[in-house]
Amino acid sequence: MKKLPELTALYWLTKIVATTLGETGADLLSMTFDIGYAVSSMILLGFFLVMLSLQLWRTNYLPWVYWFVILATSTLGTTMSDYMDRTLGFGYAKGSLLLAIILLVVLSLWKITRKSLSVTNIQSRQSELFYWVAILVSNTLGTSLGDYLADDSGLGFAGGAILIGSALLVLIVLHYYTKISSVLLFWVAFVLTRPFGATFGDLLTKTTANGGLDFGTKGSSLLLFVLLLSLIVFEIKRAKKV
């Protein structure tokens, strides 16, 4: 079953857009519409399960289905992280540590039971379930880590973006010039691109007085959704030409 995309530059660009939309969309639901983190999480859990069912039902890779599952994990991950860190009072540091441990447990169980952690080729439904659970936990961890860097570490959004951007550049160098496991580098990059994209979401939603573009959560979510659809259409058209 070829159900996962190739890890190209287009993949990472689309991932950043999807996860940034996940943050602005989740904030739109939980804060702008004032639904709250708990109720928003339940609504988004339903969206995630519907899209995941479509993905699991298919036997081949379909871009719009895959990326909507990624979007679902990002929106759900955002509200779950906020609920855990803020409503339940875990705080960003403890929340990030707990989620990092959960991710390691998921990956370990995946490795033990399936003997492979491939992120480009899925050979069974069980492996795919592990993959998507790890994706959901990674996006939740990325949200919590981004909030920690922006709010608790003293770096702020700009400092956090510089730190994460530098770390991503290091990962690119490690990928091309070392023999470090590509799977390990993938999961580190997957977690880090979540808060990296959040800085762009912050730029879009913040007021001009605070250095942003003042699109708000509604305008930002609409803009990012159109951009995500454009990237998906581009991927589909490019695949047809190959």
Side-chain angles (χ1 to χ4, degrees):
M1 296 185 295
K2 179 61 177 176
K3 302 187 68 176
L4 302 180
E6 298 295 329
L7 302 182
T8 62
L10 178 62
Y11 173 89
W12 290 109
L13 175 60
T14 309
K15 194 271 181 183
I16 291 173
V17 172
T19 52
T20 304
L21 174 58
E23 172 148 331
T24 61
D27 288 345
L28 173 66
L29 195 62
S30 62
M31 292 189 287
T32 304
F33 292 159
D34 199 24
I35 295 177
Y37 299 130
V39 176
S40 295
S41 294
M42 295 302 296
I43 294 172
L44 294 170
L45 176 61
F47 174 52
F48 167 65
L49 292 176
V50 169
M51 295 312 304
L52 180 61
S53 298
L54 286 175
Q55 172 69 17
L56 293 174
W57 175 71
R58 298 194 59 81
T59 57
N60 64 324
Y61 170 61
L62 188 61
W64 76 266
V65 174
Y66 176 90
W67 286 112
F68 270 63
V69 184
I70 292 290
L71 175 60
T73 64
S74 183
T75 50
L76 178 58
T78 298
T79 56
M80 288 198 306
S81 173
D82 290 341
Y83 180 75
M84 181 178 68
D85 296 339
R86 300 173 186 176
T87 304
L88 296 181
F90 277 80
Y92 300 134
K94 290 181 180 178
S96 297
L97 178 60
L98 176 61
L99 289 164
I101 293 173
I102 293 174
L103 178 58
L104 288 175
V105 170
V106 171
L107 293 177
S108 298
L109 289 174
W110 183 4
K111 178 65 174 178
I112 292 170
T113 57
R114 304 310 304 170
K115 311 301 181 184
S116 172
L117 290 176
S118 175
V119 291
T120 55
N121 191 25
I122 288 292
Q123 297 297 330
S124 69
R125 288 281 189 272
Q126 188 178 22
S127 293
E128 188 173 9
L129 281 172
F130 273 118
Y131 174 85
W132 286 112
V133 171
I135 291 288
L136 176 59
V137 176
S138 296
N139 274 329
T140 309
L141 170 58
T143 301
S144 189
L145 178 61
D147 288 338
Y148 170 75
L149 292 175
D151 296 335
D152 289 356
S153 69
L155 292 173
F157 286 105
I162 293 172
L163 177 62
I164 294 171
S166 300
L168 290 172
L169 288 176
V170 170
L171 290 177
I172 293 173
V173 173
L174 292 176
H175 172 69
Y176 285 105
Y177 296 102
T178 72
K179 295 182 179 180
I180 296 176
S181 169
S182 59
V183 173
L184 172 62
L185 295 177
F186 169 85
W187 288 112
V188 175
F190 201 94
V191 170
L192 291 181
T193 47
R194 175 64 183 82
F196 183 70
T199 60
F200 295 104
D202 185 57
L203 175 66
L204 290 171
T205 57
K206 273 189 173 182
T207 63
T208 52
N210 291 320
L213 298 177
D214 200 17
F215 283 105
T217 54
K218 294 180 182 179
S220 299
S221 297
L222 177 60
L223 177 63
L224 288 164
F225 185 71
V226 171
L227 181 56
L228 177 62
L229 288 181
S230 299
L231 289 170
I232 293 173
V233 170
F234 175 77
E235 181 183 354
I236 293 172
K237 288 185 175 181
R238 192 180 69 165
K240 288 181 179 180
K241 292 179 180 180
V242 176

